[in-house]
Amino acid sequence: MYKLNIKPKSKIIDTTPSLYGLFFEDINRAGDGGLYAELLRNRAFDDGIIPEGCSYDKNNKLITSPTGWTSSFDCFEEEGIAAWTCINGAKAERIKNDTLNVNRKRALQLQLNGGAILNDGFKGVPVKEGESYKFFMFAKSNSLVKVSVMLTSSDGKKIYTKQDLEISGDYKKYECQLLSSATDFDGRLAIYSESSEKIILGFTSLFPAETFMGRENGLRKELAQRLLDLKPAFLRFPGGCIVEGFSKETAYRFKDSIGPVWERKPHWLLWSYMTTNGLGFHEYLQFCEDANIDAMYVFNCGMTCQGRCPDYFDENLIEEFFQDAVDAIEYATAPADSFWGKKRAENGHPEPFTVLKYLEIGNENWGDEYFKRYEKFYTRLKKLYPDFIYISTDHSERVGLKTEFVDEHFYSDPIFFAANTKLYDDLDPSGINIYCGEYASTIGCKEGTLYGALGEAAFLTGIERNQNKVRMTSYAPLFKNVDYVSWEPDMIIFNNHENYVIPSYYMLKMFAENRGEYVCECNVITDSDRRLESGHFTDEQGNIFEGQCFTKVYENAANLHIKFWDRGTLGEDQNHYDLIIENGNSKIVHFNGWSQEVICKEKSYNLPSGKIKVEIQAKEDWFKICINEKEIYNHTLGSIPHISAVSTVDTKTNELITKIVNFSENKIDLNLETDVLIEQEAQLTVLSGSSYSEKNTFEKPENVKSVNQKLMIGKDNTISILPRSVNVLRQKM
Ligand code: AHR
């Protein structure tokens, strides 16, 4: 039996307008070739340069940072020029001298000899019949060389358009507009010449003529629109781990990301590829302005990623990063006649940007090293710029530091989210504010399943109930180019010409579109909730045992470590309950993604000597562990709500809005009990599917999506909630 007891007149808290935002990081090639509309890959020829300070292991195609962290590196420059191919006798060489400017470390020397060089973009240069593309390049030549710039088929044989340019003398910018006569998503940009004279390219670029809001150096329209459709309140940028960097040399510096794109330093991202920084600080602010949302700038506070052999910067370098943060703020906000304001004006925005509202000190940094840096940055910045809202990435208030917001991140399985709808219920509203800056159901949901969305939706009902404390949230990550994957799941999936969104996107859209002005009392009344855990057992050798019972005999074992309800992927995701007996102590720990929760507290326990028979029974919400027939644990886990719900009131339309998540596999008849009269006709938006693993694909992009329907609620005030569903019910009062 499930009942929702709703009191629309009993206001609990106001809703918080900033609750739903966006977090953009250049991961999975979300930037160049993604949201940033550039169509050429390796446009500045710097892909494959080993990042400064790192060493390269040719055999394993790995780079190692100065502190010892390794990462794949599959495009070493000696193995070819990434994305560029010569045809019909053309020759190309990457050169280190004679580059366009100090920030360009390579140039491309060509002898085309009646042939051409092709750029294959991000798995093809996508061109459409009747559409225009803007090309430019910086080139030089000691002779006068006639070249043709073309859009072609992948082998260069079919020419869709052609423009002639004459290159001579020192580096100059050459540009042309290309109108394609055909549609080909695996097209190429080709540069052709009859001549055998040398030419040197310093930088190249190809953009669709149409970008989001028609901006130069702009964004891919349909991807930007996906973001707007989520009705976000803010954008957090530019990361994420890329802010921290793989090494101090690869930490994010705002200064490298502004000015003419061909003068910007490239940036090797710790997601294993190079970006030309074309999508930089200015472009992020411009997007926020165009989208009419607030900007949240995350900057490095003097350390690299703590999960990747951290480098803690010395005082001088910390100071350099402090100055970089100050300069970024000045760039955004200072008048046009100031040093940084002038630069902003030169870049096309004389008026200060008014969108910058939040400053986040570091990303996912923690502990003493962080607190030292947080204090240094916070106190000085707050004095200089008191009006911004500052965000800490750890609970700095717990060590006595002034804290406005704490950014908490959750990557886990759907059960974790569904089980934690009350996570913030007991938080003191007069204390710090929470920003749930990154969250996603990751375990078992890599492709973005309905199951993932259900868990997240249940969690968000808890957050909505506590939105006076958790005042901002953002799902992470936003984008994935399917051809370059470094992290899954991601909310918007694209290739070079199409995109689709995962169920979490539809769920978030439903939540963000149905806000209301205040949260009212809404209680789920039931005694039917259960917890359904299942999975295999894994012993210390990695052997897997299926079923609900595990029995194994050990001989003189000193320690034991056995996993049950194990459903993680070995070496990658973790989701298991572990019996750990070591050094005379025993405990049960739940490892769930990045979180670890001790389920049964550590107690003193010595393994018997000789033969040890271990038996574990694990069923749904209960487990029992016996050693040599003696019970050492017998434990029942708390239930997981099958129905999670929250109600708000839209005072403008006089509607009661109720978000109801059915996390279970059963249809649930839900009795609605309200203390005011409600119209029987309601508007229902539902997201559901026939199994937890339902997902969207390029072939079936709308397999799981939200649908709107009218609903007549019967006299018994009971509605049928579909299994595995997220529902938004709007009822006139
Ligand atoms: O969202 C992907 C990564 O997860 C982010 O870069 C980082 O902040 C977190 O570790």
Side-chain angles (χ1 to χ4, degrees):
M1 191 281 294
Y2 284 86
K3 183 184 269 191
L4 261 194
N5 184 280
I6 309 170
K7 295 188 177 145
K9 298 282 175 220
S10 305
K11 169 175 166 177
I12 301 177
I13 48 167
D14 287 325
T15 56
T16 303
S18 57
L19 190 60
Y20 295 109
L22 302 169
F23 162 48
F24 178 88
E25 176 172 33
D26 196 345
I27 186 170
N28 306 309
R29 291 207 187 247
D32 297 23
L35 183 62
Y36 180 60
E38 175 63 66
L39 297 172
L40 301 185
R41 186 159 55 93
N42 196 14
R43 67 179 181 174
F45 322 113
D46 34 30
D47 279 19
I49 299 177
I50 307 291
E52 201 185 326
C54 296
S55 60
Y56 179 58
D57 166 359
K58 238 181 183 171
N59 296 331
N60 298 306
K61 294 186 188 262
L62 288 176
I63 53 166
T64 305
S65 77
T67 53
W69 185 257
T70 53
S71 168
S72 63
F73 195 83
D74 58 5
C75 57
F76 184 40
E77 56 179 333
E78 285 176 17
E79 287 162 12
I81 307 170
W84 294 94
T85 313
C86 286
I87 57 166
N88 302 339
K91 286 192 181 130
E93 189 190 343
R94 232 164 14 166
I95 56 173
K96 294 184 184 170
N97 49 11
D98 219 0
T99 62
L100 180 61
N101 54 52
V102 286
N103 287 336
R104 300 270 67 82
K105 300 298 173 205
R106 301 289 183 271
L108 194 64
Q109 181 173 282
L110 301 174
Q111 279 181 286
L112 294 170
N113 305 322
I117 186 156
L118 312 181
N119 185 287
D120 57 20
F122 297 88
K123 290 272 155 88
V125 173
V127 293
K128 283 196 190 145
E129 184 183 345
E131 293 200 0
S132 279
Y133 300 87
K134 287 182 176 171
F135 172 79
F136 77 80
M137 66 179 174
F138 280 85
K140 65 181 286 188
S141 177
N142 290 334
S143 338
L144 188 146
V145 182
K146 288 186 177 171
V147 302
S148 300
V149 179
M150 308 186 287
L151 295 176
T152 70
S153 55
S154 58
D155 55 7
K157 287 187 180 152
K158 286 187 219 146
I159 298 169
Y160 307 136
T161 183
K162 175 167 101 84
Q163 288 286 334
D164 296 333
L165 299 169
E166 287 187 352
I167 296 166
S168 69
D170 209 353
Y171 273 122
K172 281 193 281 292
K173 191 178 185 194
Y174 296 88
E175 45 197 326
C176 59
Q177 190 127 345
L178 299 162
L179 176 68
S180 181
S181 63
T183 295
D184 183 350
F185 299 125
D186 192 22
R188 298 289 182 271
L189 178 276
I191 302 172
Y192 161 87
S193 179
E194 281 295 313
S195 167
S196 329
E197 296 293 339
K198 282 184 183 159
I199 55 172
I200 299 178
L201 308 187
F203 192 90
T204 56
S205 173
L206 180 73
F207 265 72
E210 269 196 51
T211 56
F212 174 66
M213 303 277 280
R215 297 272 169 214
E216 279 293 317
N217 196 43
L219 307 182
R220 185 162 144 188
K221 261 175 108 178
E222 68 280 13
L223 295 185
Q225 191 55 47
R226 285 285 196 194
L227 301 182
L228 296 198
D229 289 348
L230 283 173
K231 305 232 175 313
F234 63 88
L235 173 75
R236 173 180 184 240
F237 65 89
C241 294
I242 70 156
V243 168
E244 302 161 272
F246 182 71
S247 58
K248 54 180 179 292
E249 292 79 9
T250 57
Y252 190 87
R253 289 160 169 86
F254 126 87
K255 291 187 190 69
D256 298 341
S257 81
I258 53 161
V261 289
W262 53 90
E263 287 176 10
R264 299 182 192 181
K265 269 193 186 168
H267 183 189
W268 195 80
L269 305 168
L270 51 59
W271 302 115
S272 298
Y273 57 92
M274 192 77 101
T275 156
T276 52
N277 262 334
L279 178 57
F281 190 67
H282 188 102
E283 287 73 23
Y284 289 118
L285 294 174
Q286 187 62 66
F287 173 68
C288 291
E289 186 177 278
D290 289 342
N292 195 19
I293 60 178
D294 294 322
M296 181 190 296
Y297 177 52
V298 183
F299 49 81
N300 188 302
C301 66
M303 62 172 87
T304 62
C305 180
Q306 285 170 288
R308 294 178 167 92
C309 302
D311 190 345
Y312 295 107
F313 306 166
D314 63 22
E315 289 301 321
N316 289 339
L317 196 54
I318 295 177
E319 233 10 71
E320 195 183 309
F321 276 90
F322 178 78
Q323 195 54 47
D324 201 66
V326 169
D327 295 343
I329 298 166
E330 290 289 311
Y331 180 91
T333 60
D337 57 359
S338 66
F339 178 82
W340 285 107
K342 211 178 265 167
K343 289 206 182 294
R344 185 190 61 239
E346 283 163 17
N347 296 331
H349 202 289
E351 290 306 314
F353 282 106
T354 54
V355 287
L356 187 60
K357 181 164 178 184
Y358 307 98
L359 295 171
E360 182 161 358
I361 302 174
N363 172 65
E364 269 184 6
N365 302 134
W366 71 83
D368 292 345
E369 290 292 348
Y370 175 61
F371 294 136
K372 274 192 264 174
R373 287 162 175 80
Y374 170 82
E375 187 174 17
K376 211 183 263 271
F377 275 69
Y378 177 77
T379 41
R380 289 156 81 197
L381 287 174
K382 192 70 188 173
K383 216 174 257 167
L384 288 170
Y385 308 104
D387 295 337
F388 291 117
I389 296 171
Y390 291 84
I391 302 169
S392 169
T393 68
D394 194 356
H395 280 271
S396 32
E397 81 286 1
R398 292 185 189 154
V399 293
L401 299 174
K402 184 113 186 35
T403 312
E404 299 173 21
F405 261 93
V406 174
D407 179 1
E408 295 191 340
H409 295 178
F410 302 96
Y411 292 107
S412 242
D413 74 339
I415 290 181
F416 166 86
F417 287 105
N420 274 292
T421 56
K422 296 198 167 138
L423 191 65
Y424 294 106
D425 282 7
D426 298 330
L427 192 71
D428 175 5
S430 63
I432 46 128
N433 300 299
I434 299 290
Y435 166 38
C436 193
E438 297 182 27
Y439 69 90
S441 297
T442 48
I443 300 172
C445 310
K446 288 289 177 227
E447 290 164 286
T449 57
L450 174 63
Y451 194 30
L454 291 170
E456 293 150 8
F459 186 64
L460 288 175
T461 61
I463 287 195
E464 286 219 356
R465 226 183 26 250
N466 289 289
Q467 59 189 290
N468 56 334
K469 315 165 207 173
V470 186
R471 306 182 71 84
M472 295 188 286
T473 62
S474 43
Y475 180 96
L478 268 184
F479 286 112
K480 170 172 79 185
N481 182 329
V482 272
D483 295 313
Y484 306 93
V485 179
S486 33
W487 182 290
E488 293 181 300
D490 310 277
M491 199 154 58
I492 303 167
I493 300 177
F494 65 91
N495 57 25
N496 70 6
H497 64 287
E498 299 164 292
N499 73 83
Y500 68 88
V501 296
I502 67 170
S504 303
Y505 179 97
Y506 288 109
M507 177 278 290
L508 271 168
K509 193 160 177 292
M510 287 163 68
F511 274 53
E513 280 175 347
N514 292 285
R515 299 301 322 279
E517 271 72 46
Y518 66 83
V519 180
C520 66
E521 218 175 279
C522 167
N523 295 306
V524 183
I525 299 162
T526 185
D527 50 12
S528 311
D529 283 346
R530 302 263 305 283
R531 186 177 186 113
L532 302 169
E533 302 272 3
S534 64
H536 50 261
F537 295 87
T538 309
D539 70 7
E540 36 293 271
Q541 281 83 37
N543 300 312
I544 288 176
F545 302 79
E546 299 291 349
Q548 293 179 339
C549 293
F550 167 94
T551 309
K552 192 169 166 181
V553 177
Y554 296 79
E555 197 73 53
N556 286 324
N559 299 321
L560 273 183
H561 195 142
I562 303 166
K563 299 172 185 173
F564 55 100
W565 286 324
D566 183 2
R567 49 186 171 249
T569 328
L570 208 63
E572 216 199 307
D573 283 337
Q574 11 187 19
N575 189 6
H576 37 81
Y577 293 75
D578 291 23
L579 163 67
I580 303 171
I581 303 180
E582 56 192 14
N583 309 325
N585 283 312
S586 108
K587 60 183 170 185
I588 307 281
V589 183
H590 184 196
F591 289 82
N592 191 341
W594 293 4
S595 44
Q596 293 179 23
E597 191 191 351
V598 180
I599 301 291
C600 300
K601 277 206 304 248
E602 189 146 338
K603 61 182 182 189
S604 129
Y605 181 80
N606 285 305
L607 281 165
S609 51
K611 272 199 176 16
I612 304 167
K613 183 174 164 205
V614 181
E615 287 174 283
I616 306 178
Q617 277 175 273
K619 196 175 169 213
E620 294 188 344
D621 62 351
W622 166 87
F623 60 84
K624 185 167 113 179
I625 300 177
C626 299
I627 294 188
N628 288 351
E629 318 292 343
K630 243 182 143 175
E631 183 177 297
I632 61 165
Y633 289 106
N634 189 333
H635 187 87
T636 305
L637 297 172
S639 64
I640 295 175
H642 287 192
I643 291 284
S644 307
V646 63
S647 288
T648 57
V649 171
D650 187 332
T651 51
K652 293 188 196 109
T653 57
N654 203 29
E655 280 174 300
L656 171 66
I657 306 170
T658 307
K659 296 175 182 116
I660 306 160
V661 182
N662 180 357
F663 190 67
S664 82
E665 295 219 70
N666 309 316
K667 174 173 85 60
I668 290 179
D669 289 330
L670 183 65
N671 182 251
L672 304 174
E673 192 180 68
T674 46
D675 64 352
V676 296
L677 266 185
I678 304 274
E679 283 185 15
Q680 298 302 112
E681 187 177 315
Q683 195 64 43
L684 181 68
T685 312
V686 195
L687 177 79
S688 67
S690 55
S691 79
Y692 282 131
S693 58
E694 288 286 314
K695 58 176 195 251
N696 295 332
T697 57
F698 280 117
E699 291 70 38
K700 285 188 176 174
E702 297 191 343
N703 182 42
V704 189
K705 69 164 195 170
S706 48
V707 286
N708 292 316
Q709 63 192 72
K710 274 212 165 68
L711 183 75
M712 278 307 289
I713 302 177
K715 290 256 170 328
D716 59 354
N717 274 340
T718 297
I719 58 169
S720 216
I721 302 292
L722 288 177
R724 300 167 295 266
S725 67
V726 181
N727 307 266
V728 177
L729 187 66
R730 289 190 84 109
Q731 296 168 281
K732 282 262 184 228
M733 297 194 289

